Amino acid sequence: MREMLASLSSSSSRAIPCILWCLLFLTLGSSNGVFAAAPPKVGSGYKLVSLVEQPKGGALVGYLQVKQRTSTYGPDIPRLRLYVKHETKDRIRVQITDTDKPRWEVPYNLLQREPTPPVTGGRITGVPFTAGEYPGEELVFTYGRDPFWFAVHRKSSRETLFNTSCGALVFKDQYIEASTSLPKDAALYGLGENTQPGGIRLRPNDPYTIYTTDISAINLNTDLYGSHPVYMDLRNRGGHGVAHAVLLLNSNGMDVFYRGTSLTYKVIGGLLDFYFFSGPTPLAVVDQYTSMIGRPAPMPYWAFGFHQCRWGYKNLSVVEGVVEGYRNAQIPLDVIWNDDDHMDAAKDFTLDPVNYPRPKLLEFLDKIHAQGMKYIVLIDPGIAVNNSYGVYQRGMQSDVFIKLDGKPYLAQVWPGPVYFPDFLNPNGVSWWIDEVRRFHDLVPVDGLWIDMNEASNFCTGKCEIPTTHLCPLPNTTTPWVCCLDCKNLTNTRWDEPPYKINASGQTARLGFNTIATSATHYNGILEYNAHSLYGFSQAIATHQALQGLQGKRPFILTRSTFVGSGAYAAHWTGDNKGTWENLRYSISTMLNFGIFGMPMVGADICGFYPQPTEELCNRWIELGAFYPFSRDHANFASPRQELYVWDSVAKSARNALGMRYRLLPYLYTLNYQAHLTGAPVARPVFFSFPDFTPCYGLSTQYLLGASVMVSPVLEQGATSVSAMFPPGSWYNLFDTTKVVVSKGEGTVKLDAPLNEINVHVYQNTILPMQRGGTISKEARATPFTLVVTFPFGATEAEAEGAVYVDDDERPEMVLAEGQATYVRFYATVRGKAVTVRSVVELGSYSLQKGLLIEKLSVLGLEGTGRDLAVHVDGANVTDIATSSPYFAGAEAELHGHHDVEGHKKSVMVEVGGLALPLGKSFTMTWNMQIEA
C-alpha cells in the first residue's frame, strides 16, 4: 500500500527497476551467485558415510561429510544428518540438517507435523542399510554415496520426480543450495507469491524469489506478500496427465531458479526439509498437501456474497449511503467493510469518536444485522507508541513486542511510531486475543481484516523518535514517508547476509521497509529466520480470538501468508491497478492460491488504484463475480467506483452477481469439499482435464469446482471471447439452450457484449442452484433448481452432483444431525427413460428449514417429457410432491466444433411445479417423446 501510494505520481517508478533487473538476470546471472557470468564455486558436495534403518522400518538416518571445504558465502557445515521417512503411502519426507547443532525450522506449534529425531551429534541406533533404494507404497527413495545425491521416483512407473545428482549439495550456515533435474516437458505451477505475467505455468528463467514483502502486486515476477515454496509438476505420459508436488518447508528467504530442465534452490538459512506428494492427479496432490499443512478453513455462507470496501469512507454517513446505493440499484451486497477510516488516528481497536461515534455505529449495525448483512474492519499489526493508548499500555505491561538490542523495535506505519506484537510469544497471543475481545465488546464486528503483516514498515533500520520534529508530521499528505530518525544496520550478518536474495526484485536489504532482521522474537528467535511467518502467526492468533467469541465460525482476511495459512484465513491479492493487464494477472494469482491450500481468494475488483475506465469495471465485475472471494475495494485517492456509480456497470453487476447468488449453494458446497479435501474452489482447467495438454498453460479461463467454466473478456474493446473447451458438451448457464460441443480442437468464438460474461457447465453434471437475491440470507432460503447436463444428444449417459447446507454459524463444518445436510444427486438416461434421484445424509436440518426443490432443468436430451413419476423415501407421491407439474423445453443453439451426427436439435427439458423436500431422498422418472 505504501509503495502504491508513492507511485501514484509515477506509477512505473518501481516497475522500471524490476524490469531492468529481470533483463540483467537473463543476460548476466548474479554477482553473488544470482547475477554473475562466472560465479565462484560455492561448494563441492558431501559424501554419505553411514546409513541405518530405524527399528520397525521407521525411517532412514544417515550422516554426510563435506568433501572439500569452500569459503564462498561462509564455511561449510562439516557434517550433516539425513532423515528419510515415508510418512504416509503417498508422502515421503527428506530432511537434511546439521548433525551437531539444532537449526532453525518452522515451529511445530505453528505448523503441526511429525517430529524428527533430535540432533544427537552422530549417535543413532539402527540396522545398517545397504540397499540401493528405500521403497514406500507409492514413492521410492534412491541415493548415491560419493558424492551424495538423492532421487525420488514413482514405484509404479519408475519415473524420476526429483533428482539432485545434477548439482552439488551446498550447506553453510547462511547459504544452502540444492538442485533437481527436470524433463523439458514438465509443466510447473506454484512458487509464490508473485504476479506472473506469463500466466499460471512457470516460465523458465523468470525470477522466483520467496520472501514476504509489502511491495505492490503491480510489480511482476517479484516476491510479494506470501511465502509458498511449493510447486506442482504435471507431465503427460502416454496421453495421461500425471501430477506430483514438492514442498521445501523453510521460512527463510530464498531464490528459486527454474531453467526448464533444472530447478535450483538457494536458501539463506534453516534446513532442507522436503516433502514429496505423489498425486497422481492434481486434485490428489492438493488433497495430500493440505492433509499435511492443514485443511482450508470453513467459511461462513455470507462470505460467498458480495463485499464492498473503500479506503476513504470518511464517516458513517458515507457507509450508510453506500449500502443504500446498492439496495436502490438492486445489486447484491452482503458485507460492508471499513479500511482504517473507522479508527481514532489510525490506532488499532479504536473508533473515531467524531466520524464513527459508537452509538450511531451500533445503531447502524443493528439495522444491517437484522437484514442479514455483515460488517468487517481492518486492523494492522503495528501498535501506536502512545502512553495514553490502552492497547499500547497493556502490551507494554505484558512485554509482547519484538525487540532490537533489548528494547521494543521501533517502526512507522499509519499511526506514526509503532511497535510490532510478537505472535510467537504466548503472552503476545494472549494479549492479542484479549484486545480482540475488548474490541468486539466495543463493536460487534463479523470478521477481521489483518493487513500490512509482512510486516510492513515505512522506515528501514534502527530508528528513534525524532527530537527535532513531530512524527507523524501534522497534516502530512504523505504519511507513508519515514519521519523517524533511522540508520541502516550493516554490522550484523543477519542484516547483511553473505548471499543476497533478489528481494523486492532488486536485491534490496532483507530489512528494507520491514522489521530489522537482527531483531528478536520470543526465546531469542531471529527475525531473520521468522520473518515470513509473521502474517501466518498473526492469522493463527486472530483465528483463536474470533473463534472464542460467541462460538461462531471466524472470518479473517489476511494479506501476508505462509504454508498453512489457508487453515485460518482467506486472502486477497493485494494492491493492484485498474488496468487490463492487472485484470488478467488476477486469474493466475487466484489459481495459485488454490494450489497453495487457500481457496478463499480474490483480487480487488475494478482495481485498487487509479480509477478504472467504465468498460474495465464492467469486465472486472463480470470476472470478479466468480472469484471465490468477491470484493470491490478502492484507494482514497481514486474516484468512487462502487458498482452503482456507472449505469452500465450496475447492469453488468446485476447480471453477473445475480448468477453468483443463484450459484451460492454450489459455491458453499465447494467450500465444504475444500475443507474436507483441499480441493480448490477456483481451479485451473487441467484439474478436471489433466489429459488435455492444450490447457496446461491456460490462464484466461478457469473452473469453479469440477465443471463450471468461466471465460471472461480480458481485452479492451472486445465483444467476443476465443475460448478453449476440452472435449465434450458445455452449456451456457445464462442461456442453457446455447451449447458448445467441443472436440478439443482450437478455440471457440463466443459472443460477449459489454454486460455479459460466458459461464458454462460441463456435461455429466448436476448443479444445485437457487433463485438468488440481493443478500445471501434471503437467497439461501429460496427453492432449488437442479440443472442436469448430459452430453448433447445423449441416449446413454450419467450425471451427478451434490449440495451441502448447514448452520454456517457453527465453528466446525461437519455433518451433524439437525445442523447440516448433505445430498448426492444422480441422473441417468437409458434410451428414452430418464431417472433423477437423490441420496440424503442427515436430512433433518433441511427439513427444519423447509428447503424444497422446485424445478429440474435437464440439458442435452432430444424430445419432450411425459409419464412423470415421483417417489420420496420409496413411496409414490407424484400428486403430493408436485404443486402443478409441467414439462417445458426449448431447442438448442449449437456453437463450436459440433458436427453432431444427423445435426440433432437437442433440447432443454424443464420439469417444473415441484415441491420435493431437499431433506428426503427422491426418485423421479419420465420418458422422452420425440415429436414427429
Side-chain angles (χ1 to χ4, degrees):
M1 188 176 292
R2 160 192 44 77
E3 185 219 337
M4 176 280 304
L5 288 166
S7 69
L8 281 173
S9 59
S10 179
S11 61
S12 62
S13 62
R14 289 296 288 272
I16 291 173
C18 179
I19 294 168
L20 291 176
W21 280 111
C22 289
L23 291 173
L24 286 169
F25 175 84
L26 292 174
T27 56
L28 297 177
S30 153
S31 61
N32 56 10
V34 187
F35 295 125
K41 188 173 184 179
V42 295
S44 300
Y46 287 76
K47 61 182 177 181
L48 180 65
V49 295
S50 67
L51 186 64
V52 301
E53 184 173 10
Q54 291 185 318
K56 300 180 181 179
L60 295 183
V61 179
Y63 293 101
L64 312 176
Q65 182 175 311
V66 68
K67 289 175 64 66
Q68 181 179 346
R69 299 192 182 195
T70 62
S71 60
T72 306
Y73 307 140
D76 298 275
I77 292 178
R79 297 198 309 161
L80 302 175
R81 186 189 71 181
L82 169 70
Y83 176 84
V84 183
K85 185 175 183 181
H86 293 280
E87 293 190 332
T88 66
K89 71 174 184 178
D90 43 37
R91 181 176 82 228
I92 186 173
R93 182 180 187 181
V94 180
Q95 186 189 82
I96 301 174
T97 188
D98 191 334
T99 296
D100 301 309
K101 293 189 296 185
R103 289 185 62 80
W104 167 256
E105 56 184 319
V106 176
Y108 282 77
N109 65 326
L110 289 188
L111 188 66
Q112 296 182 5
R113 57 203 189 275
E114 285 192 31
T116 57
V119 169
T120 60
R123 299 182 302 277
I124 196 75
T125 58
V127 179
F129 188 84
T130 58
E133 59 182 38
Y134 184 56
E137 290 189 46
E138 301 288 344
L139 299 173
V140 179
F141 173 84
T142 58
Y143 60 95
R145 290 183 173 269
D146 190 4
F148 169 75
W149 57 265
F150 77 88
V152 175
H153 67 252
R154 291 191 186 279
K155 190 173 185 178
S156 58
S157 66
R158 306 291 296 181
E159 180 168 21
T160 299
L161 309 183
F162 196 89
N163 188 330
T164 68
S165 63
C166 63
L169 170 65
V170 182
F171 206 118
K172 301 165 186 281
D173 189 33
Q174 290 183 266
Y175 181 83
I176 304 172
E177 180 178 324
S179 300
T180 179
S181 55
L182 292 167
K184 191 174 183 179
D185 63 341
L188 268 58
Y189 312 88
L191 297 179
E193 177 181 8
N194 60 30
T195 300
Q196 298 172 194
I200 188 174
R201 183 172 177 174
L202 301 186
R203 297 191 304 194
N205 300 315
D206 275 359
Y208 298 99
T209 298
I210 301 175
Y211 186 72
T212 62
T213 306
D214 175 13
I215 182 171
S216 171
I218 68 173
N219 292 281
L220 309 181
N221 296 125
T222 303
D223 47 310
L224 296 179
Y225 315 107
S227 172
H228 296 273
V230 61
Y231 70 85
M232 180 185 291
D233 181 332
L234 177 62
R235 308 173 187 180
N236 191 283
R237 296 294 179 261
H240 298 289
V242 183
H244 70 274
V246 179
L247 166 68
L248 173 56
L249 185 58
N250 185 304
S251 64
N252 290 85
M254 68 181 76
D255 289 324
V256 184
F257 297 93
Y258 172 48
R259 303 299 194 200
T261 57
S262 68
L263 185 144
T264 298
Y265 300 91
K266 297 184 178 183
V267 194
I268 60 172
L271 43 69
L272 293 176
D273 201 358
F274 286 108
Y275 291 81
F276 300 90
F277 306 90
S278 66
T281 66
L283 273 176
V285 165
V286 177
D287 185 3
Q288 294 154 12
Y289 182 57
T290 57
S291 73
M292 181 254 164
I293 67 166
R295 298 297 193 191
M299 297 291 155
Y301 198 93
W302 52 262
F304 289 91
F306 184 69
H307 304 242
Q308 177 61 52
C309 182
R310 176 182 172 83
W311 186 19
Y313 289 152
K314 288 302 182 183
N315 56 58
L316 182 58
S317 296
V318 175
V319 175
E320 293 172 322
V322 170
V323 173
E324 183 178 359
Y326 272 89
R327 291 291 169 254
N328 291 341
Q330 288 296 294
I331 299 171
L333 179 66
D334 258 77
V335 189
I336 188 72
W337 296 57
N338 265 127
D339 207 302
D340 67 1
D341 301 296
H342 67 286
M343 298 180 185
D344 179 14
K347 299 193 298 290
D348 280 348
F349 305 120
T350 64
L351 288 178
D352 183 327
V354 176
N355 294 311
Y356 284 84
R358 183 170 182 259
K360 290 187 177 181
L361 179 59
L362 293 179
E363 182 181 342
F364 169 70
L365 294 183
D366 285 343
K367 179 181 177 180
I368 67 168
H369 282 156
Q371 299 168 353
M373 283 188 63
K374 306 297 179 180
Y375 177 62
I376 296 175
V377 299
L378 173 144
I379 48 176
D380 290 333
I383 301 300
V385 177
N386 185 326
N387 288 325
S388 65
Y389 174 35
V391 178
Y392 167 80
Q393 293 171 344
R394 291 185 290 272
M396 290 297 290
Q397 290 166 4
S398 299
D399 192 21
V400 303
F401 298 115
I402 293 170
K403 291 183 171 61
L404 180 67
D405 297 333
K407 299 178 181 179
Y409 176 76
L410 184 66
Q412 178 188 332
V413 200
W414 301 114
V418 298
Y419 293 156
F420 288 115
D422 181 4
F423 297 104
L424 300 182
N425 184 339
N427 287 342
V429 173
S430 298
W431 163 83
W432 184 258
I433 290 172
D434 182 60
E435 295 301 337
V436 171
R437 179 194 58 78
R438 289 169 181 267
F439 182 64
H440 194 270
D441 289 343
L442 185 73
V443 186
V445 296
D446 300 288
L448 288 175
W449 171 17
I450 50 177
D451 191 12
M452 308 286 284
N453 52 352
E454 292 74 28
S456 179
N457 181 2
F458 298 161
C459 301
T460 298
K462 184 176 182 178
C463 302
E464 295 179 351
I465 294 178
T467 57
T468 58
H469 60 268
L470 294 176
C471 182
L473 299 170
N475 303 316
T476 180
T477 58
T478 57
W480 55 88
V481 174
C482 181
C483 56
L484 299 176
D485 286 341
C486 304
K487 62 178 182 179
N488 286 328
L489 293 168
T490 59
N491 60 343
T492 79
R493 63 192 183 106
W494 312 116
D495 297 298
E496 291 289 341
Y499 175 83
K500 308 295 191 297
I501 62 170
N502 193 29
S504 300
Q506 51 187 336
T507 57
R509 285 193 174 99
L510 293 178
F512 176 70
N513 286 139
T514 188
I515 300 169
T517 43
S518 55
T520 55
H521 295 252
Y522 179 68
N523 271 353
I525 294 171
L526 281 167
E527 169 70 8
Y528 180 87
N529 292 318
H531 170 83
S532 291
L533 298 174
Y534 193 78
F536 180 38
S537 61
Q538 186 193 18
I540 294 173
T542 308
H543 189 273
Q544 292 177 8
L546 288 181
Q547 198 162 43
L549 295 174
Q550 304 174 4
K552 291 186 178 181
R553 188 175 301 170
F555 179 84
I556 300 161
L557 184 72
T558 183
R559 190 169 74 176
S560 185
T561 62
F562 186 72
V563 175
S565 287
Y568 305 96
H571 176 62
W572 94 108
T573 63
D575 298 341
N576 59 1
K577 290 183 74 172
T579 66
W580 291 93
E581 292 81 5
N582 278 253
L583 172 67
R584 177 167 55 86
Y585 300 155
S586 73
I587 297 177
S588 295
T589 305
M590 171 184 67
L591 297 180
N592 267 329
F593 271 87
I595 294 173
F596 297 155
M598 293 198 76
M600 192 62 165
V601 59
D604 283 347
I605 292 170
C606 297
F608 185 59
Y609 84 103
Q611 181 184 26
T613 64
E614 182 175 351
E615 180 191 2
L616 174 61
C617 203
N618 270 279
R619 294 309 190 185
W620 211 320
I621 184 53
E622 290 166 8
L623 168 61
F626 300 98
Y627 292 154
F629 173 63
S630 183
R631 185 183 71 160
D632 181 302
H633 180 215
N635 166 255
F636 71 83
S638 302
R640 298 285 289 272
Q641 63 182 48
E642 288 82 7
L643 301 181
Y644 54 78
V645 170
W646 292 290
D647 288 343
S648 68
V649 175
K651 181 178 180 181
S652 294
R654 284 189 292 270
N655 186 48
L657 288 173
M659 178 59 71
R660 179 187 182 90
Y661 274 61
R662 292 181 63 199
L663 286 170
L664 283 177
Y666 178 65
L667 293 173
Y668 193 65
T669 302
L670 295 178
N671 175 36
Y672 175 63
Q673 293 170 350
H675 182 54
L676 290 183
T677 69
V681 175
R683 53 188 81 162
V685 175
F686 67 73
F687 264 64
S688 290
F689 302 93
D691 301 345
F692 186 57
T693 54
C695 74
Y696 282 13
L698 183 60
S699 304
T700 54
Q701 297 167 257
Y702 62 94
L703 294 173
L704 290 173
S707 55
V708 174
M709 175 86 84
V710 181
S711 305
V713 170
L714 302 173
E715 296 179 2
Q716 184 176 3
T719 56
S720 64
V721 173
S722 293
M724 180 185 296
F725 289 93
S729 301
W730 296 83
Y731 298 89
N732 188 316
L733 271 181
F734 289 94
D735 182 352
T736 53
T737 66
K738 295 181 178 180
V739 56
V740 173
V741 181
S742 173
K743 293 184 177 179
E745 300 168 354
T747 59
V748 178
K749 185 177 180 180
L750 304 172
D751 290 336
L754 180 63
N755 302 117
E756 297 181 14
I757 182 173
N758 281 276
V759 180
H760 291 77
V761 59
Y762 189 55
Q763 66 188 35
N764 309 121
T765 299
I766 301 180
L767 188 66
M769 300 178 69
Q770 288 174 286
R771 291 181 182 178
T774 57
I775 193 166
S776 65
K777 179 182 178 180
E778 298 171 356
R780 70 182 306 190
T782 62
F784 284 80
T785 292
L786 301 182
V787 178
V788 182
T789 62
F790 291 120
F792 184 81
T795 56
E796 297 284 332
E798 298 179 350
E800 61 182 63
V803 68
Y804 172 87
V805 293
D806 74 352
D807 172 11
D808 70 322
E809 295 290 286
R810 294 181 302 126
E812 299 301 324
M813 195 179 209
V814 294
L815 275 174
E817 190 64 62
Q819 296 179 332
T821 296
Y822 188 67
V823 185
R824 292 180 175 87
F825 301 107
Y826 304 91
T828 60
V829 57
R830 298 286 184 265
K832 297 180 180 180
V834 181
T835 301
V836 181
R837 63 186 180 90
S838 71
V839 177
V840 177
E841 292 184 57
L842 305 182
S844 63
Y845 173 79
S846 292
L847 296 174
Q848 292 167 15
K849 296 296 181 180
L851 298 176
L852 298 174
I853 299 170
E854 66 174 349
K855 186 167 60 177
L856 270 65
S857 293
V858 184
L859 311 179
L861 302 184
E862 188 174 11
T864 58
R866 66 177 186 181
D867 307 328
L868 177 67
V870 181
H871 292 76
V872 174
D873 288 344
N876 189 331
V877 292
T878 304
D879 295 333
I880 301 173
T882 57
S883 54
S884 53
Y886 64 86
F887 283 102
E891 292 187 353
E893 179 183 334
L894 286 175
H895 299 269
H897 329 105
H898 37 85
D899 292 336
V900 178
E901 183 180 353
H903 299 286
K904 299 174 184 177
K905 289 188 176 180
S906 183
V907 298
M908 181 271 289
V909 179
E910 185 176 280
V911 186
L914 305 175
L916 296 172
L918 182 69
K920 291 187 175 182
S921 298
F922 72 84
T923 300
M924 185 181 303
T925 61
W926 69 88
N927 291 311
M928 298 302 298
Q929 176 179 328
I930 300 176
E931 302 291 341

